[in-house]
Amino acid sequence: MPPQNRKEDLVLAANTLRGLAIDCVEAANSGHPGLPMGMADLSAQLWLEWLRYDVNDPRWHGRDRFILSAGHGSALLYGLLHLAGFGVSTDDLRAFRQIGSKTPGHPEVGETEGVETTTGPLGQGLGNAIGMALGAKLEAERFECPLAATHRVIALVSDGDLMEGVASEAASLAGHLRLENLFVFYDDNRITIDGRTDLAFTEDVGKRFEAYGWRVLRCENANDPEAVATALQQTFGQESNRPTLVVCRSVIGYGAPTKQDTAGSHGAPLGPEEAKAAKTNLGLDPEQSFAVPDEVRALFRIAATKKAEEARRFHEDMESWRAVDEDRAHRLAMFRDGTLPENLFELACEAVAGEDGATRALGGTVLNRLAESVPGLVGGSADLAASCKTTLKNSSDVTGEDFRGRNLHFGIREHGMGAILNGLALHGGHVPFGSTFLVFSDYMRPSMRLAALMGLRTTYVFTHDSLMVGEDGPTHQPIEHAAALRLIPGLHVYRPADGLEVAAAWTHAIERKTGPTAILLTRQGLPVIERPDECSPEAARKGAYLCGSFGDAPTATLIASGSEVSLALEAAALLADRGLSLRVVSAPCLEVFEQQSREWRDQVLPPDLPVVSLELGTPQLWPRFTGNAAHCIGIERFGRSGPANELAAAFGFTPEAVADQISAMLS
C-alpha cells in the first residue's frame, strides 16, 4: 500500500493544482479551467501516492502511462508535470497555449516531457490507452517477461470522451480482451460546453461498461480527499481480471464562487474577479500567480525520491530476468529497439517475384514473409482478414486468454481499430497494422490524422481500392478516398501496380519511423509490369519512375498509379500505333516522389513535356503534376453496381477509351 500523506497536505496540493490551472488559462485568456479544478483532488493523490514514474528517466519501460484523454484539461497535466519535477518550468506554464511553448492547448507527445500521447479529439486518448495496455500484454507473453506488463495504463476521461463512438468501440474490445492493466477514471461532472449533459446524455455509463465486461467502481465525491483515497485503494489495492472504470462524481470548476458546476467554467477563462474569488475560496493568495507553496514542493520531491527507488528495483529485477535466458533477453531488446534486417526490400521482392494477381493477395504474401524477420509486426482487420489478406499464417490469434499471438481481431470497429493501433505504436516495439476496405477509411480518418500528427509508424492496408470492386456497387466503390488520404499531412499513400511495388510499399511502411503509411490494394487481378531492362527495382522505392516508353521521341508523359499503370501501358501502346509516342510513369506514392531530388523528379517528369494523369478516382490533386486540370483522367461521380469489365467500359477506363481521351487532350 503506498504511503499516505496527511489530508491537509493533499488538500493543499490539489488547491495548488487548481491555482496553477486558473493562472494558465487566465494568462492565455484561453483554455479550460473546469476539469483541472474538478479533478485536482484525485490527480494529486494519484500522482503523489500511486503513479509510477521517474523524473530522471521519463521513458523507463516500467513506468505507468498516464493518459489525459480529456485533453482540453491540459492545464491539469502541465501542473502535475511541473510539480512532479518533469521539464515543465514556471515560465512554461506562463507560456500556456503560446507558439513554441512546451504547454500547447492540448497535450502533444514529443513536445512535452511526460506526455504519453497527443489528445484533444475526444475518445482518442482512451483508444490509445487501450492500445498501450494491449501492447504491454502482447510483449509480456510473447517474450515470457511478466515484468513487461507490471506497469499500469491509467486514463482520465470526460463525459465527452464517453459520448464519442471511438471510445465505445475501443472499450468494448478492451472488455472482451479483459485488459486488467487498464484503469480509467471518468470525470462525471455532468457538464459540457452547451450546458448540462442531460441535454443529450442520460445513460448509465457504469452499466454500459459493466455490459462491456469491465469492473466498475464509484467515487461519489471526487472533491473529498477521503472519498478519493478510498476509491484509489479499491482501484489499485484489489486485483481484478478485467479493465477498471471508476465513475468519479465531481464538481467542474470546483471553488469558483459563481461558475462552479456550470458550463461557464468549461471552456473559457474564469475572468480576473472570479479567478481571485476562487483562489480565496481555496485558501490561496488571490494576488499571486503561479505560486507553489514550499510544502507542496516538498511533497512531490519526497514522492519523486520514492518513485526513483521503485524504478531502481524494477531495473534490478529486469537484470535478473535477463540473466536467466540471455537469448530471450536479446530478442526482447531487438524488439524494443526496432532492429530491422538490412535486406528487407530484397526479402519482400523474393516473396512475390514474377507473380501476377490482385495486389491484396500479393500484399498478404509480402506481409507474411516480412513477419518472419520483423517480430514487431502485429495487427489484423475490422472483420475483413480473409478479404484483405492480412492474416499472419504462422501466428495465433490474440484472445483474452492468450496474448502470445500476433493476429488481432478488432471486430467491425474501424475507428476503435485506428485509435488502438496508435496506442500500440506509442507503447513501443510493435509495428502495428490494421486493414479494411478503402471506402471505410472514412470511419478511421480521425485516428489516422492523429497518427500523422504524432509521427507514428502505423500501417493501414486498404483493399478494394477502386470502381473495380464491381458488383458491390457505389456504396463500396471508393471514388474520393485516395485523394482524401493524400490530403493528410505526413501520411504516405501507396497505390502499388504489381508485386514489386507492393514489396516497396511494405518495406517503406516498416522502415519509416516518422509517420504512418496507407497501402491501397486491388480486389481484381493485375499483370506483372514489364519494365525496361535499365529500370532498377530500387526505382519503385522513389515514389514514381519511368516504367515504359513508346517511340523514339516521346511527346508527352502519362503518369498513373495502381491498377491504372497496366491500363496506361496498354493505352500508350495503342497510341504508338497511331503515331503518338508516350512515356509511361508509375507513381505508387506521390508523397515519396515529392521528397526526391529535383534531378530525379525532372528525369521522371521532364519539364518540357506535357503530362497526363490517369487514376480511377477524383483527380483534384493531379494538376500538381500535370499543371493542367484538363490533362487529368479520373472519375468525379459515384459508380454503379455491375461486373468490373462492364464498369470499365461504361466509365471509359478501357485501353481504347483512354487512348482516345489522351489523343483529344494532346491534339
Side-chain angles (χ1 to χ4, degrees):
M1 178 177 174
Q4 298 297 296
N5 291 286
R6 297 185 307 163
K7 178 180 177 180
E8 53 267 37
D9 289 336
L10 294 172
V11 170
L12 181 59
N15 287 339
T16 299
L17 283 170
R18 292 185 173 103
L20 292 175
I22 291 170
D23 291 336
C24 282
V25 176
E26 291 298 312
N29 195 29
S30 171
H32 301 256
L35 180 146
M37 297 172 72
M39 292 301 283
D41 292 288
L42 185 139
S43 300
Q45 287 196 44
L46 177 64
W47 279 62
L48 282 168
E49 298 182 345
W50 294 94
L51 196 71
R52 291 187 288 239
Y53 58 84
D54 184 359
V55 296
N56 299 309
D57 186 8
R59 303 298 297 175
W60 73 284
H61 192 79
R63 72 190 184 282
D64 290 338
R65 274 62 162 178
F66 178 77
I67 311 301
L68 182 65
S69 188
H72 56 275
S74 58
L76 172 63
L77 179 54
Y78 299 144
L80 288 163
L81 294 172
H82 173 69
L83 295 178
F86 289 87
V88 177
S89 68
T90 302
D91 286 341
D92 293 325
L93 296 179
R94 293 183 188 278
F96 181 58
R97 288 182 162 234
Q98 305 308 300
I99 292 177
S101 75
K102 293 181 181 180
T103 51
H106 293 84
E108 297 181 34
V109 68
E111 296 293 327
T112 313
E113 190 176 88
V115 171
E116 299 284 356
T117 184
T118 296
T119 57
L122 292 172
Q124 288 285 340
L126 176 57
N128 296 168
I130 290 166
M132 292 180 192
L134 174 59
K137 298 278 290 181
L138 294 171
E139 180 185 62
E141 292 209 21
R142 175 99 60 83
F143 296 98
E144 301 177 76
C145 179
L147 286 166
T150 54
H151 63 271
R152 298 164 297 203
V153 181
I154 301 168
L156 175 55
V157 306
S158 64
D159 289 300
D161 284 290
L162 299 188
M163 291 187 205
E164 290 285 1
V166 62
S168 298
E169 291 183 21
S172 175
L173 186 60
H176 170 74
L177 292 174
R178 297 198 291 279
L179 300 177
E180 80 282 352
N181 54 342
L182 175 66
F183 301 86
V184 177
F185 293 91
Y186 164 34
D187 177 21
D188 181 22
N189 63 43
R190 303 182 190 178
I191 297 289
T192 57
I193 290 176
D194 280 351
R196 303 200 68 81
T197 54
D198 60 13
L199 289 169
F201 189 61
T202 51
E203 68 185 45
D204 187 323
V205 169
K207 288 183 178 178
R208 168 155 63 103
F209 274 72
E210 286 176 354
Y212 288 155
W214 289 53
R215 173 179 67 150
V216 176
L217 305 175
R218 296 182 184 274
C219 177
E220 297 299 343
N221 186 353
N223 303 118
D224 173 15
E226 292 179 351
V228 168
T230 299
L232 289 171
Q233 180 62 49
Q234 289 178 325
T235 301
F236 299 120
Q238 302 171 8
E239 291 188 4
S240 174
N241 64 349
R242 298 175 289 166
T244 298
L245 176 75
V246 186
V247 181
C248 302
R249 184 71 180 96
S250 71
V251 176
I252 192 171
Y254 182 82
T258 69
K259 292 189 176 182
Q260 74 171 23
D261 201 30
T262 73
S265 67
H266 185 291
L270 297 179
E273 296 308 314
E274 184 84 1
K276 288 182 179 181
K279 286 185 179 181
T280 299
N281 283 350
L282 298 168
L284 305 173
D285 186 341
E287 301 303 324
Q288 286 193 13
S289 297
F290 300 100
V292 178
D294 291 341
E295 303 95 311
V296 174
R297 295 270 186 216
L299 281 177
F300 278 91
R301 190 163 50 246
I302 292 169
T305 299
K306 293 177 179 178
K307 293 172 190 300
E309 176 60 23
E310 241 184 324
R312 185 189 64 78
R313 290 197 298 270
F314 176 88
H315 290 306
E316 288 179 350
D317 291 342
M318 277 299 299
E319 284 302 318
S320 298
W321 177 83
R322 292 187 185 100
V324 172
D325 188 334
E326 292 185 0
D327 178 66
R328 182 176 58 190
H330 176 70
R331 287 188 287 109
L332 175 59
M334 298 278 281
F335 167 82
R336 289 184 176 174
D337 291 342
T339 304
L340 298 172
E342 294 183 0
N343 63 336
L344 201 65
F345 182 51
E346 181 181 336
L347 294 173
C349 290
E350 288 175 355
V352 289
E355 290 189 22
D356 58 10
T359 53
R360 61 170 174 159
L362 298 171
T365 301
V366 170
L367 172 62
N368 272 275
R369 179 64 184 88
L370 295 182
E372 298 172 7
S373 303
V374 183
L377 269 172
V378 61
S381 78
D383 197 50
L384 288 170
S387 291
C388 296
K389 311 299 182 185
T390 47
T391 299
L392 298 179
K393 296 176 181 178
N394 293 325
S395 184
S396 60
D397 295 337
V398 173
T399 69
E401 296 80 27
D402 187 353
F403 290 87
R404 290 172 296 179
R406 296 160 72 180
N407 288 309
L408 298 172
H409 291 276
F410 291 100
I412 307 166
R413 305 182 180 100
E414 291 90 353
H415 201 178
M417 175 173 70
I420 290 169
L421 292 176
N422 289 347
L424 284 166
L426 287 160
H427 175 271
H430 302 290
V431 183
F433 64 88
S435 60
T436 185
F437 293 169
L438 177 56
V439 76
F440 301 137
S441 62
D442 288 337
Y443 285 138
M444 58 192 297
R445 185 180 179 87
S447 299
M448 298 171 68
R449 182 179 187 273
L450 282 170
L453 179 61
M454 289 188 272
L456 300 181
R457 179 173 52 176
T458 53
T459 302
Y460 312 102
V461 179
F462 295 128
T463 67
H464 297 58
D465 74 332
S466 75
L467 182 75
M468 296 307 162
V469 168
E471 290 86 350
D472 281 334
T475 61
H476 283 54
Q477 293 163 354
I479 301 299
E480 75 280 18
H481 295 76
L485 292 178
R486 289 174 180 141
L487 289 173
I488 299 176
L491 175 65
H492 287 183
V493 180
Y494 266 88
R495 195 160 177 260
D498 68 354
L500 174 63
E501 292 187 7
V502 168
W506 263 113
T507 302
H508 180 82
I510 293 172
E511 290 183 342
R512 185 185 184 216
K513 297 182 179 181
T514 56
T517 302
I519 304 176
L520 282 48
L521 303 173
T522 67
R523 178 190 187 185
Q524 75 275 22
L526 299 178
V528 174
I529 302 299
E530 297 294 336
R531 297 169 177 83
D533 292 340
E534 64 273 17
C535 181
S536 165
E538 285 292 328
R541 304 185 66 184
K542 294 189 174 184
Y545 62 98
L546 182 69
C547 68
S549 186
F550 297 81
D552 295 330
T555 56
T557 300
L558 177 57
I559 184 171
S561 77
S563 56
E564 289 76 77
V565 174
S566 56
L567 175 60
L569 290 166
E570 290 185 68
L574 289 177
L575 288 170
D577 291 339
R578 301 181 192 177
L580 181 60
S581 298
L582 292 181
R583 304 167 71 256
V584 177
V585 166
S586 177
C589 185
L590 300 178
E591 295 80 20
V592 169
F593 177 59
E594 290 188 304
Q595 293 177 351
Q596 303 306 312
S597 67
R598 169 59 66 182
E599 180 184 10
W600 178 262
R601 284 180 284 146
D602 286 349
Q603 179 182 328
V604 174
L605 297 177
D608 58 337
L609 292 182
V611 178
V612 175
S613 68
L614 173 63
E615 187 173 63
L616 261 170
T618 52
Q620 280 85 347
L621 299 181
W622 283 101
R624 293 212 315 252
F625 304 95
T626 66
N628 185 343
H631 281 191
C632 300
I633 301 174
I635 180 170
E636 297 188 77
R637 54 155 290 184
F638 295 120
R640 298 172 64 185
S641 177
N645 61 334
E646 294 181 17
L647 289 169
F651 285 87
F653 284 90
T654 63
E656 295 79 7
V658 169
D660 289 343
Q661 290 183 72
I662 294 172
S663 292
M665 289 175 181
L666 299 178
S667 62

